[in-house]
Amino acid sequence: MDKILVTGGLGFIGSHTVVELQNEGYEVVIIDDLSNSSEKVLDGITTITGKTPLFEKLDLKDKGGVEAFFAKHNDIKGVIHFAASKAVGESVQEPLLYYENNIGTLVYILKELKKLPSAAFIFSSSCTVYGQADELPITENAPVKQAESPYGNTKQIGEEIIKDTCRVVPNLKAIALRYFNPVGAHETAEIGELPIGVPQNLVPFITQTAIGLREELSVFGDDYPTPDGTCIRDYIHVVDLAKAHVVALGRLLQGKNKSNFETFNLGTGTGSSVLEVVKSFEKVSDEKLNYKIVGRREGDIISAYADTNKANDELGWKTTLTLDDAMRSAWKWEQKVRG
């Protein structure tokens, strides 16, 4: 079976995608610098799939290290590129860190793929490229607006770099998957979201608050023009998301793509407010959550949820897991990690 490189493969979405790739019989090589992950994740992947992927610790900012890796693994057929810094708030404070880590590393990988006879490239993009969309739900044809944060800008720039490269490198075929808000964990509770330090995302902050690691959850703003005043997002179960990466990869490897660069939204098609997520958690966990409404957070948009018709029709993919499923699995994972 084809050998696939997964960068950031020990991270949250990366590890779940590695599981789905191995379940489909792919040979997986992981690169991760362990800056926001742990080598212990390999044990979880192995327990679930019965197979340990090859792992190389490498900082992709090391150009020579990237070149040496591809010289050794010159039989790679595809790359799924997750490795990136991803906290919106931090990117506002540390823009240069984000441009170096998210853009420089992408260029180094594409330079190596250019040398291969053929390569499939899946880019971990984001709905942040749309900013505050004029119309909801958001289709792939929605205008890419000026980014609200340096993080969002790295995804826009990343897509442009890939598109420009695909235009002049016919052996490179790429798909940018613009996902909305990944949540949940594997049903086995062997892998899940485990941020280092204070979580930047809603769901791990909820579960850490419920288990007593955090004193309270801050809900950023209740004065938005939404039904309950809190921001609305499209929360997609990470297992559904991981499966979409495998389907998209297969599309490229089988030559079913319509052009050398394609984009797909990945979401559920349904928006849920922050307070609705809190209520879902309280329902499935039977825990009362300690939360407080605070001021708005810089860089946050009001509402974003996906039109998923293109992914449903062209990839033949759709979500099967609910917000309640995601919250239940996230809580099971949190309890296991802290147990």
Side-chain angles (χ1 to χ4, degrees), residues 181-202:
N181 292 63
V183 290
H186 197 269
E187 61 181 3
T188 60
E190 290 292 337
I191 55 173
E193 189 169 10
L194 190 60
I196 292 171
V198 179
Q200 300 288 331
N201 294 338
L202 176 61

Side-chain angles (χ1 to χ4, degrees), residues 36 86-91 98 193 195-205 208 220 297 300:
N36 194 31
K86 63 181 179 64
V88 169
E90 183 187 50
S91 78
Y98 274 67
E193 189 169 10
I196 292 171
V198 179
Q200 300 288 331
N201 294 338
L202 176 61
V203 172
F205 214 111
Q208 288 189 13
F220 296 106
R297 180 173 59 177
D300 276 344

Side-chain angles (χ1 to χ4, degrees), residues 219-231 275 293-297 302:
V219 175
F220 296 106
D222 65 347
D223 58 347
Y224 287 97
T226 62
D228 64 18
T230 63
C231 289
L275 290 181
I293 308 292
V294 298
R296 294 186 181 191
R297 180 173 59 177
I302 301 162

Side-chain angles (χ1 to χ4, degrees), residues 3-5 27-31 54-56 58 65-79 112-113 116:
K3 185 193 277 191
I4 306 301
L5 167 64
E27 181 186 349
V28 178
V29 188
I30 294 171
I31 285 178
L54 192 62
F55 168 61
E56 292 212 17
L58 176 63
V66 174
E67 290 169 349
F69 174 87
F70 276 93
K72 186 164 74 171
H73 298 280
N74 59 6
D75 56 342
I76 280 172
K77 292 289 187 286
V79 176
E112 295 308 308
L113 294 185
L116 298 177

Side-chain angles (χ1 to χ4, degrees), residues 7 13-14 79-84 86 102 106 121-127 129 151 154-155 158-159 162 175-179 182 241 245:
T7 73
I13 309 170
V79 176
I80 304 182
H81 182 46
F82 293 107
K86 63 181 179 64
N102 294 8
L106 171 64
F121 187 75
I122 306 292
F123 181 57
S124 168
S125 193
S126 166
C127 66
V129 301
Y151 163 73
T154 65
K155 293 303 181 185
E159 286 195 16
I162 297 161
I175 290 176
L177 296 176
R178 296 171 173 170
Y179 22 93
L241 186 63
H245 288 75

Side-chain angles (χ1 to χ4, degrees), residues 16 19 44 47-48 185-191 329 332-333 336:
H16 287 82
V19 163
T47 301
I48 295 167
H186 197 269
E187 61 181 3
T188 60
E190 290 292 337
I191 55 173
S329 63
K332 186 178 171 186
W333 162 249
K336 182 181 183 215

